[in-house]
Amino acid sequence: MDVSINVLVVDDFATMRRIVKGVLKELGFKNIVEADDGSSALQELKKDDFGLIVSDWNMPKMTGLDLLKAIRADDKYKNIPFIMVTAEGQKDNVVEAIKAGVSNYVVKPFTPDTLKEKLEKVLS
Amino acid sequence: MDVKLINPFIDATMYVLETLASTKATAGKPYVKKNGAAQGDISGVIGLSGEARGTISVSFSEKCIAGIVSQMFGEEITGVNDEVKDAVGEITNMISGQARQRLEQEGRILKGGVPTVVVGKNHSITHITNQPVIAIPFESQYGGFSIEVCIEDSE
């Protein structure tokens, strides 16, 4: 797993960004950028090359699902691994995210080990 | 209100606090809330919609939430600050999500709204409804807290 990549963490709650960042740092990632919703994430994507996006689903202005769809529709970003970290664990949500091209799906709350395992799968 | 709707919220609350903050919570006996009961210093409230409508709230004393958030972040938090408010919103969001996932297994599909956080010494939450509000007290190593659930029966 290449830990030198830039990672974009997207969540409207600072608490969850902090928890996700904590796990990423434990795994050795150093280049972590935060955004508080999908539209600010798209602005961040323009500034640098990212090797991974970890995003919440429910956010104001632009949801994680809309962000995922926008990324998969854009030739510049469509191959970036995208992990959805969300409180929405209902079947319809998971199916919708898979259809939109999500790389993996983590239901909140999660243990650090669960997130690590999903990150390793996506980045190996 | 169908009492079978209550257990998923109790299970979700215990699961969220255990997974997120290594906090073991035990549920007391649920009761129908009368005015002024189930007070707290900080609460998260979330609306539910879909095949039934309702609200859930989670209320903590300052001491209890400081202990839980300290455990979550691995650093000592002494009072209610912006980080604690944010954490209560996220805890409420996760309890709503986990409970709805459990309700789905019983064939009940509900959607959750965006959480609101209320702060104030000994406040009480009013659920705007003509349905009974069920309060569930919990005990944890950081002190007591409570959740309140109010869901209209679906036809």
Side-chain angles (χ1 to χ4, degrees):
Chain A
M1 192 164 61
D2 178 7
V3 292
S4 67
I5 57 169
N6 293 321
V7 184
L8 182 57
V9 176
V10 193
D11 202 307
D12 51 330
F13 282 100
T15 301
M16 197 40 65
R17 295 200 301 268
R18 186 171 177 165
I19 290 171
V20 171
K21 265 175 71 179
V23 176
L24 289 168
K25 281 183 179 169
E26 244 179 65
L27 288 171
F29 292 92
K30 287 186 182 71
N31 309 315
I32 305 164
V33 175
E34 295 180 41
D36 62 7
D37 88 320
S39 54
S40 53
L42 286 176
Q43 295 305 314
E44 292 298 336
L45 282 171
K46 288 179 191 159
K47 295 182 195 166
D48 217 332
D49 289 329
F50 286 87
L52 173 68
I53 299 166
V54 182
S55 176
D56 182 27
W57 183 311
N58 284 330
M59 293 180 289
K61 287 193 274 186
M62 185 182 196
T63 67
L65 186 69
D66 289 337
L67 172 65
L68 172 61
K69 286 176 180 170
I71 283 167
R72 292 294 182 247
D74 190 319
D75 282 343
K76 284 200 297 290
Y77 309 132
K78 68 180 182 190
N79 293 322
I80 304 176
F82 191 112
I83 299 184
M84 190 80 87
V85 178
T86 171
E88 301 301 324
Q90 291 172 322
K91 271 182 216 146
D92 286 357
N93 295 107
V94 181
V95 169
E96 213 175 343
I98 291 170
K99 276 188 189 159
V102 80
S103 312
N104 219 316
Y105 199 95
V106 182
V107 178
K108 295 190 273 194
F110 51 82
T111 60
D113 285 346
T114 305
L115 185 57
K116 277 177 201 166
E117 189 190 309
K118 305 259 176 169
L119 285 165
E120 278 161 3
K121 265 188 197 160
V122 164
L123 295 175
S124 62
Chain B
M1 189 167 106
D2 184 350
V3 289
K4 274 190 283 185
L5 292 174
I6 298 298
N7 281 338
F9 288 92
I10 295 175
D11 294 345
T13 302
M14 293 192 292
Y15 175 75
V16 168
L17 290 176
E18 167 93 55
T19 311
L20 196 65
S22 308
T23 299
K24 283 198 190 302
T26 49
K29 196 170 186 291
Y31 61 92
V32 178
K33 188 193 176 191
K34 308 283 183 206
N35 280 346
Q39 290 173 333
D41 300 329
I42 183 164
S43 299
V45 186
I46 213 161
L48 302 169
S49 60
E51 65 175 54
R53 291 187 309 161
T55 45
I56 63 157
S57 62
V58 190
S59 298
F60 300 93
S61 67
E62 189 170 0
K63 179 177 163 276
C64 181
I65 196 61
I68 290 169
V69 178
S70 298
Q71 182 64 36
M72 269 169 72
F73 290 159
E75 63 183 68
E76 198 184 345
I77 306 276
T78 51
V80 171
N81 57 20
D82 285 345
E83 286 179 321
V84 172
K85 285 187 223 169
D86 190 274
V88 168
E90 188 62 57
I91 289 169
T92 310
N93 192 32
M94 287 185 216
I95 291 173
S96 154
Q98 283 293 327
R100 285 182 289 111
Q101 208 178 317
R102 286 164 166 77
L103 284 166
E104 184 187 37
Q105 290 161 11
E106 293 173 22
R108 308 290 297 257
I109 310 281
L110 293 176
K111 284 189 186 320
V114 176
T116 305
V117 176
V118 180
V119 180
K121 274 277 169 204
N122 283 325
H123 66 257
S124 176
I125 300 293
T126 302
H127 301 258
I128 300 173
T129 176
N130 50 9
Q131 295 287 316
V133 177
I134 308 296
I136 302 115
F138 285 87
E139 271 307 320
S140 77
Q141 65 261 48
Y142 304 112
F145 66 95
S146 61
I147 69 169
E148 293 174 7
V149 182
C150 174
I151 299 177
E152 293 176 6
D153 285 325
S154 57
E155 296 303 318

